[in-house]
Each structure stands twice: as C-alpha cells, then as structure tokens.
Amino acid sequence: MRKLHGPPDLSLAPGHWVRRDLLAWPIDEVPAGVDPADLDWRLHWSPDGGIDPAAREPVSWGTDEVRLDPDGLPEPVLAERPQLRGYLCLRLGSAAAAQAEQILRGQVVLSLHQPSGRLVNAGALQHPGVLDELYAAATGARLGLSWHDEAPTLRLWAPTARDVRLRLWRPSDDLHAPGQAVPATREPDGCWSVTGAADWRAARYRWEVTVYAPSGRRVVTNQVTDPYSVSLTVNSTHSVIVDLADPALAPQQWREAPQPVLGHAVDQVIYELHVRDFSISDKSVPAEERGSFLAFTRDSLGTRHLKRLADAGLNTVQLLPVFDNASVEEAKERQRRPPQADLRALPADSPHQQRLIALTVANSPYNWGYDPWHYQAVEGSYCASLASAEGSGRIHEFRAMIGALHALGLRVVLDQVFNHTASHGQNTKSVLDRIVPGYYHRLSPLGFTEQSTCCPNVATEHAMAQKLMVDSVVLWARDYKVDGFRFDLMGHHSRANLLAVRAALDALTPERDGVDGRAVTLYGEGWNFGEVANDARFVQARQGNLGGTGIGTFNDRIRDAVRGGGPFDHDPRGQGFGTGLFTASNGAALNGDGYQQRDRLLSDTDLIQLGLTGNLRDYWLPSNSRRVFVRGDELEYNGGPAGYASEPDEVINYVDAHDNETLFDALTLKLPVETPMADRVRLNTLCLALVTLGQGPVMWHAGTDILRSKSLDRNSYNSGDWFNFLDWTMTDNGFGAGLPPEGDNGPKWDFFRPFLADPALKPSPDDIAEAHAQALDLLRLRASTRLFRLASGHDVRTKLTFPVSNTAHQVPGVIVMHVDDRVGAPSQDEWSSLVAVFNATPLPVRLPVPGLDARHLLHPVQARGHDPIVKGARVQGEWVRVPARSYAVFVRPW
C-alpha cells in the first residue's frame, strides 16, 4: 500500500465503479496485514465536491455502506477489464445503486475505516465502466450535426453534466460577444440536444457544459467546441453548422471521378505524402495555393510526378493527418517562417538553420499533424485562403483534392490518430475531457492519464470512444469518398475496435451511401508497447493478433533487415542487407568483426525472405542462419516471432516512412563513405525492390524515388519546410540543409557533421533523375504480373520458394526468389515462372538456380527499361549472372 502522510489524496482514483452496483478496489490500497473483510467500506458523494471522508458528512453529502464480496469480481467484468484481476469486489447498497446517475454528476469517494471508525484510506473512483453500462443506448445515438427538413439538430453526449446549453453566433454576429444561449434537452441516454431553424446554416456554435471536473475537484462551466464538428472557424475557436450534403460543397470532379478499385488488397502500392510538403516549394503552383489542398488540382510539377508514378503502377496516396490539429497556426498572416535566404546562406553542417526554425515553432505553418483536436473536421491550414478556412470552404477544397487524385487513378488513404488527443483535463485545447471528465482517456492504476503515446491516450475500449472512432471513419469514407485508412499506433486500440470499424464500413453501399465500404482498406502501426502491451487491457490490434481480418500492419522486420540497425540506435551506422553489412563494411565498431557481420547478414536474409512471402507465420523457410527449415513464427525478431501474418494482405512492407531517416539518409549514414553516388542510387532502388517485389502491399515514403533527404533528421514533425523539403524539379534532394533539429538529433550530431560537410554525398540532378527512372521501372515490374501479388497465403506457400537459400550456392548478400505458377492453380498470368535475384554486393554474381532454364528471359520491363547495367543480366542453362548492386527478374512464358 502507498504510505499515507496526512489525509488521503483524493485527486488519486485507485478504485473503479464498473457496474451500477459494483465497485473494484486494488488490494495494495489496503494496509498490509489488514483483512479487507474487517474494514468498514463507505461510498461518499457530493454534487459540489469538498468531501472529507474523515469528517462528519454535511447534509448536502450522501453516503452509503459498501459490502465486500468474497467471491471476487465476476468473470464477465474481468473479461472486459483484465487489468482489474486481483482487485477486491465491492457491492453497493441499494440506495446508492438506485441513484447512480445522479451520484455520478458530482464528486465520488470510497473510504476504508477500521471498526473504531478511524480512516485507513480513501480515493476517488474511475467511472467509465458504469457509464458504459448506464448509458449503453447512446452508442446508437446520432451525435453531432444532423439535418431534417432544412433544420439542424445538434446532439452532444454528456451524461455527467449538470446543465448543457448551446451558444450560438449567427453569421453576422461578433464572435467576441457572448452568443445566444439556447437551452439543451437532456435525453435518457446521456445526450443533450438542440433543434434549430433553417437560418442557422453557417452559424457558429459552442457547447456550454456545466460539469464536475475531478482534476480540480470542483464544478466548472466549460465552453467547448463540438467533438463531432464537421467544420470550424479559423484556429478552431468555434464549430460551424454545415450540411455536408449541400451541393455547393461538391466539386464537379469529386462528384464525377470514379473511385479507383483494387483487384485485391495485396495490389496496394502506397505513396506516403504530407499535404504541405507536396507543393510548398513547387513554383509551378500559384503562390497562394502552395501548401494547400488545391495544389493537387493544378497541372503542376507535383501532379505530373504523381501521374508518372500512377502510370507506372502506383495506385494509392496516403496522406499524413488532414483532420483538424492543435499545433498549426491557420491564419496565414500570423504564420512565421525563417527567411529562406538566411537558411540558404549557411554551411551544410551548420547548427544555425535548426536554431532559426526553432524560433518560429510557436506560430509555424508546419506540423505533421499527429495532435488531434477535432477528428471529423478538415484542417484549415491546408486551405488556400483565410476565407476558405473559415467554415465550409475547407470541405470544398478538400473534396477537390480527393477528386483530382481519383482522376489521376490514385486512391486516397487518410492517416487517423484515435490513440491520443492533443490535450486533456481543463486545457483550452481539450475537448473530450471538458465534456465528460475522466471518461475518454485511458487512466493509470491511480487515475492519471496514460501518455505512453507521448500524448494523452484515448481509451477506445470505452464504448463512446469507440463510437467516436467508428463514426469518424464512416464519415470520411461516406462523405468524402476516402478509399482507406492508416491507423497511427494501432496497437493501442483493440482488435474489437478495428473489427467494429470494418463492420461499419462494410455496411456502406453504393445504392444508399454512394460508396462501397467493402472496398475501403485498413492498416496501421501494430506496435506492442505501453500500458496495453501484451494484451494487458484487451486483445490489441497489433502484429500477430489480426489474422484473418484483412487488416494490415507495417512490417518492421523487413525494414530493419534491409536498412540495418534499428530506429533508436545511438550509433546510426549499423548496416543491413541493403546497406553493405559484411559485403561492404563501413568500419563502425557496432557492426562487429567479419564473422559477426556474416552471421547477422544471414539472419537479415532470413527476415527479408520471410518478408517477401508476406511475413507469413506458417511459411516453411530454408533458414540461412539456422541451417534448417523453420516456420515463419519460429524465426526471432527482437525477442518475439518474426512471422505473424496469416495472409499476405496483413502486412505493409516498407523501408522508409515519415518517421526516422529517409532511405537516402540511411544509406548515407551506413554505406562506406567512399561508395560512388551511382552505386548509392542503385542501392536505393535495390532496397525499394526488396519490398516492392514481395508479396503483400507496399508503401514508399514520398520522394524516396528521387533520393529525398531530410538532412539526416529522424523526426521532422515540426522541422519546418526547410528540413521537409520536397523538390519535384529533381534538382535538389534536400541533403546538406544543416544539422537537423537538436531536440531529437543532438546526440548524433558528431556522427552527422562529416557526412553533411562532404559535397560528394549530395546527388546531382542527373543522379536524382536516374533514381526516379529506375523507380518507375520497378513499379512497372510489380504491376506487370500477378506473381508479385499472390492473393492468398495458400498460393504463396505453394508457389514461392527460395531455391538457393541454405545451400552450398548461397552467397551472402544475395537472395533468389522463385514464383512458379505451374504449381497449384494457375493465376492466369502471362508468365508461368518468375525468378527474381537481388544482389546487394559490390560484385557481380553467378550462381546456379534450380528450376531455371533457357526459356527464362530477362523481364521485358528490364530488357527494354532505363537501366543499361541490368540488361547485362543473363541466364545460361541453370546458371544466372546478375550485375553488382542490382536486382534482375527473369520470366518464362507458358
């Protein structure tokens, strides 16, 4: 038990109110050596706070005895909340249970007393469990804004509120005035509603909620925007009444351009892109539209670049968060950027660029946007003007972007961040916690808000938090024609959350909703950490838990094996298969001696080969490192099983993303410094090939095809346009922009300085153009045959082999993959057999490949393609010859 010094701290909430008549209390909050059955347990409640369990209760308080239940918490409760296993079970008296709805509108305290009456301990109660039971009907409520006969109805879930009013400002009203107060009607499910008139259209509003706030142990009246806002004023000060079905908000191209359709989820080739990055430096876009949604509607260098990629085989653009975020200044006249001329004048390894950028962070126009404020409203900083950010214009411009991307043949995936909010408690940018305090965020055993995501964690295991998640995804899919969703830190959600999202999307039909929800794809970060790790609070939506759902997770196994090291290494020079491990050592001590490097390279080869199968848990792999056949889930990665997928669409293979260093920067840090730029370009393509030509969906970070650099910045979320530079002229890749921001990169500056100062490490425009041309051929290769996109785990297991692996002919740094369509049911492909050879070594290789014959020819895409070196790849009987730092694909017709 915590040691008590003076009165108990009632700001702590170690107990839980889980059902109308049921409480849970941790055994370690009972004094050691004391039998809980010998204590008197009392529940206290007060509408206005001020409870002192050691004092005599005033008339305004309520109190009731609580009974210890020796049978413990019921199994259904523990199934829902496994973190309560081992807690004491307490039964409320009938008086308190009957008044639960009223009691929960004020302060609630549980106290423990010795038979003599002396106070032993006391604490507040966490109440999400009982709120979910009492107000279960609210999961079916239409929250936010709805329309009937031209009149809007606004509905807010606030079950613990004393009073709720709507504050309304008509379009001509001054927002600094108090606004019109409109009383809301309380409904049995804990909702409050107001029905307005037709002339409320375009009016601004806030909810005014009078509620007990545990953080201050007092009753407060909060004016707060609507968590279901569909539009907002500039900087999100007020919600705006908008009808998403208004024809004036539906651009023609958005209405008419069909949503691109995938043959199967494994066909996804994704380009991860930040809206502002796309055009802020593109001078072919009108100045006022740079960095905005409308830039995607222009015939510009950026859209032409996307068109080239789409024509080659790219089919999806994944946008970093576009919902309303809490960090970016939306009013352009108040935004601050350091003078670009000042930045350009500084040396390539200078610390001064990042210092100048740090001075403007408070009013910066730049942020990745992973700080949610309003989940269903479009971010206003991406609007072309202040007028369009003020209200419904943001909806029209966002839809215009969606329509333009659809017209290019590109699906649109949105990055969703339901795992945390930007703020909590009584902070001015806190929304959910100022409406239903203590409900929406996940709390620690003592009632503090968990922040393992680096921000206040959202408890989507609670019914109404899940509802917000599901309702938001459905809105983006139905009302904006979004084609897919990527979930940030998805492992902080439950498998049940994602299945609820999937079911809600599957219910959308073209006839009723204008979209086919079954075609919407879902994937996310299935990392396993924090207070929810290892299914501590629920079965997580993490790697290994999503088999059979069709929901994908990012494959960090292949990422780390190709790049080398890990994203949090102190020394960033750890090498991998694609960065010279063993085959071109950079001399860094952390890579070990030659024997250690060879062993690790063989292990990395195993992980990459498993990734090429779609990371299937039940694929039997000829392991180079263990010298036997092993199942995918018998290979080890960071102490756990490497293989975890049941089907190839359950992983997203990638080698770089917005997080961590770009692929070019990783190659810069890890390759021997003397590596020629032409070889760096080839290895950039080879690393991409290792994920692009494998089974399952693939994602590229925007600009990876043009050697994009962030000047070695590993976390550029607020590093401004300078470090996030993206140049569609293919003149400057961004390398040598100065030492990256000190906060996330400072400990590595000593490693970075010599690289940034070396002009030989900055590619020329010709190098960048070469990388782009090679990347286009890679996309064409993937798109040319279904053998790179087998749709089932069964087909992968029967058709795909690694014929040289764990044989005397295995060459360290070389992978040979054979996909034989003559085995099992044919895929109706043009080719009966495909052999792909990946040679990451600095020397050409010649080796025998069982199953290869004289009818295998270099794939026409490569034979007629841009790269003259790979055209030297040859088949000679059962032997194949592949140039250094190249990949070659050989195909056999039927």
Side-chain angles (χ1 to χ4, degrees), residues 229 350 526 568 637 681:
S229 297
S350 169
F568 306 109
Y637 172 81
V681 171

Side-chain angles (χ1 to χ4, degrees), residues 327-510:
S327 291
V328 177
E329 172 58 59
E330 293 185 348
K332 294 185 185 298
E333 68 274 12
R334 293 199 289 270
Q335 293 175 350
R336 296 177 60 204
R337 298 171 69 196
Q340 301 298 291
D342 292 354
L343 298 173
R344 283 192 290 269
L346 293 165
D349 60 344
S350 169
H352 296 298
Q353 293 96 328
Q354 59 91 30
R355 289 173 186 161
L356 290 171
I357 288 167
L359 294 175
T360 66
V361 165
N363 289 87
S364 173
Y366 194 91
N367 197 281
W368 281 347
Y370 290 91
D371 44 0
W373 199 351
H374 298 90
Y375 287 108
Q376 298 181 9
V378 173
E379 166 60 23
S381 67
Y382 298 139
C383 292
S385 69
L386 192 66
S388 55
E390 186 75 29
S392 61
R394 60 179 75 192
I395 297 167
H396 188 280
E397 292 188 5
F398 179 73
R399 285 173 167 171
M401 176 189 68
I402 298 288
L405 288 169
H406 284 168
L408 288 173
L410 294 168
R411 303 167 63 253
V412 180
V413 168
L414 298 189
D415 200 332
Q416 299 292 289
V417 190
F418 296 109
N419 64 83
H420 67 257
T421 56
S423 298
H424 68 119
Q426 286 294 109
N427 187 283
T428 56
K429 291 188 177 181
S430 169
V431 175
L432 300 171
D433 221 14
R434 292 200 293 151
I435 296 170
V436 194
Y439 176 81
Y440 280 99
H441 290 97
R442 189 173 298 124
L443 303 180
S444 73
L446 290 178
F448 299 111
T449 300
E450 294 281 11
Q451 301 200 34
S452 57
T453 64
C454 300
C455 299
N457 295 0
V458 175
T460 48
E461 62 271 27
H462 301 161
M464 297 302 286
Q466 174 178 284
K467 177 177 171 61
L468 176 60
M469 179 180 182
V470 172
D471 290 350
S472 300
V473 169
V474 168
L475 179 138
W476 290 111
R478 182 190 61 221
D479 296 313
Y480 289 98
K481 299 185 181 180
V482 167
D483 307 285
F485 297 91
R486 177 260 194 203
F487 295 92
D488 182 68
L489 300 185
M490 187 171 69
H492 270 57
H493 302 304
S494 69
R495 176 185 163 104
N497 289 153
L498 271 294
L499 291 178
V501 169
R502 180 74 271 170
L505 289 170
D506 288 349
L508 299 177
T509 65

Side-chain angles (χ1 to χ4, degrees), residues 246-321:
D246 186 342
L249 300 180
Q252 181 178 356
Q253 191 173 52
W254 177 77
R255 294 196 313 270
E256 297 177 357
Q259 291 182 252
V261 178
L262 297 169
H264 191 278
V266 295
D267 296 339
Q268 294 174 90
V269 184
I270 304 159
Y271 205 56
E272 185 193 36
L273 183 60
H274 185 273
V275 169
R276 185 175 174 90
D277 291 353
F278 174 70
S279 63
I280 194 63
S281 301
D282 188 348
K283 290 183 171 53
S284 68
V285 174
E288 66 276 9
E289 293 180 4
R290 292 174 199 161
S292 77
F293 297 127
L294 290 184
F296 289 85
T297 69
R298 295 290 182 176
D299 178 17
S300 67
L301 292 175
T303 53
R304 291 174 207 164
H305 192 97
L306 290 180
K307 182 66 163 59
R308 285 195 300 275
L309 293 171
D311 288 345
L314 186 79
N315 55 38
T316 302
V317 167
Q318 175 191 303
L319 297 173
L320 270 69

Side-chain angles (χ1 to χ4, degrees), residues 807-832:
T807 71
H809 299 291
Q810 173 67 47
V811 176
V814 177
I815 290 173
V816 179
M817 176 180 75
H818 184 198
V819 185
D820 193 344
D821 206 23
R822 296 166 294 183
V823 180
S827 62
Q828 309 301 316
D829 197 78
E830 179 181 358
W831 312 109
S832 66

